[in-house]
Amino acid sequence: MDQKNLRVLQILRAPVGGLFRHVADLTRALSANGHNVGIVVDSLANDAQTEQLLTALEADAALGIHRFPMPRLFGRGDLSTPFAVSALARRLDVDIIHGHGAKGGFYARLAAYGRNTAKVFYTPHGGVLHFPADKASGKLFHRIERVLMAKTSAIIFESAYAQKTYTSLIGAPTCPSTVIHNGLRPGEFEPVPPLPDAADFVFVGELRNLKGIFPLVEALAQVNRPDGSPANLVMAGDGPDRKDLEQLIGQLGLGDRVKLVGSRPARDVFAMGRNAVVPSLAESLPYVVMEAAAAQLPVISTRVGGIAEIFGPTADQLIAPGDADALASAMTEMLANPDSARRSMQARLAHIEAGFSVARMAGAVEALYRNA
């Protein structure tokens, strides 16, 4: 493919979370480089929030934002939407179709069975990797993955962890594959100084068990500052396990030590704490770890998913997931030795600045498109 401006169709199901953030960052970066980008999303689950997010992308989506039914599992939309996407790709005369997540990748590669000459790329973003191989749904999705590899120009993994997991569950890709880490925008590398009344620790994430919220408050109950006073914590976010979390906080007598502030922008919340804690039980490549480190907060996290890739030279500091005692020890150590925590933060920051920027991510994806 020559150096002409590309026409790219990005396909995803729900415009939420880290997957959508990745697509939005990629769309804006490609548009800034002169390429024409279109977006395909689900028409079944849109609400005021998703519409607001999509409206903010319209200026960078020169090929439009298109909506088709994309059921979360299997449904009637799976019989019609692949044909609609294929027809749209032909009408828009796109060079590249890029599917994101299980459903986006499914539709993107089925579109290649039509009369399309576009090259087809796929980024799992977890997606199909979340279906266990010993369950009927997992067996079905994994079988589909193996069949669709024949129609895939390349698979782009957002972490080496995702690539390894894909190979373990589905098999080594028979098409080209590569790892391109997600990245942060330049403004996200600006430091966020703590407020005068900042808590010792801050958590940003969905309030559900998978994010390690219960071991976190259990750990906090054991943590004191060097002067012997009890440490405190700000938790931002909402989710299905909020009531259970509030109940545990009450049972542990932590009502005056844990402050729940609801869903707010991450950088606003980072100012409410001096150190960040990401105690997840499972992850892929969480943005919040990158964001907190880029904001120049010391970070405690668990050895799950691709977090070790973000921690880089400080990966040996990661702790086991679900271990409240280990988490408490790490939190106590961070308060007792702030200079050491800051040195680790600076090493982590340098690693993230070098390898986790939007410019680097988008440049690598664009080069892959052209090399196809």
Side-chain angles (χ1 to χ4, degrees), residues 90-213:
R90 291 196 302 273
R91 178 164 61 82
L92 296 177
D93 190 27
V94 300
D95 305 297
I96 302 293
I97 303 174
H98 191 159
H100 300 265
K103 274 302 173 79
F106 178 63
Y107 295 136
R109 289 173 293 174
L110 284 182
Y113 282 92
R115 299 187 306 277
N116 283 304
T117 59
K119 300 298 182 182
V120 180
F121 294 81
Y122 168 48
T123 303
H125 295 282
V128 71
L129 307 183
H130 293 156
F131 291 91
D134 59 348
K135 298 292 179 63
S137 58
K139 291 177 181 177
L140 177 59
F141 276 111
H142 296 167
R143 187 177 301 117
I144 291 172
E145 278 292 320
R146 286 188 281 270
V147 170
L148 292 179
M149 280 188 205
K151 289 295 183 180
T152 309
S153 299
I155 300 176
I156 303 172
F157 295 100
E158 75 276 18
S159 66
Y161 163 79
Q163 186 180 49
K164 180 180 178 181
T165 303
Y166 186 97
T167 299
S168 174
L169 288 174
I170 296 162
T174 57
C175 61
S177 68
T178 189
V179 174
I180 300 176
H181 289 123
N182 294 334
L184 300 178
R185 309 174 193 113
E188 292 177 291
F189 286 95
E190 294 294 325
V192 176
L195 295 169
D197 62 346
D200 298 299
F201 299 98
V202 62
F203 165 90
V204 182
E206 190 176 6
L207 299 185
R208 60 176 176 140
N209 178 58
L210 196 66
K211 296 300 181 179
I213 56 175

Side-chain angles (χ1 to χ4, degrees), residues 3 6 30 121 180 361-372:
Q3 294 300 305
L6 301 174
L30 291 171
F121 294 81
I180 300 176
M361 179 267 290
V365 172
E366 181 181 343
L368 196 65
Y369 287 168
R370 291 196 182 281
N371 289 336

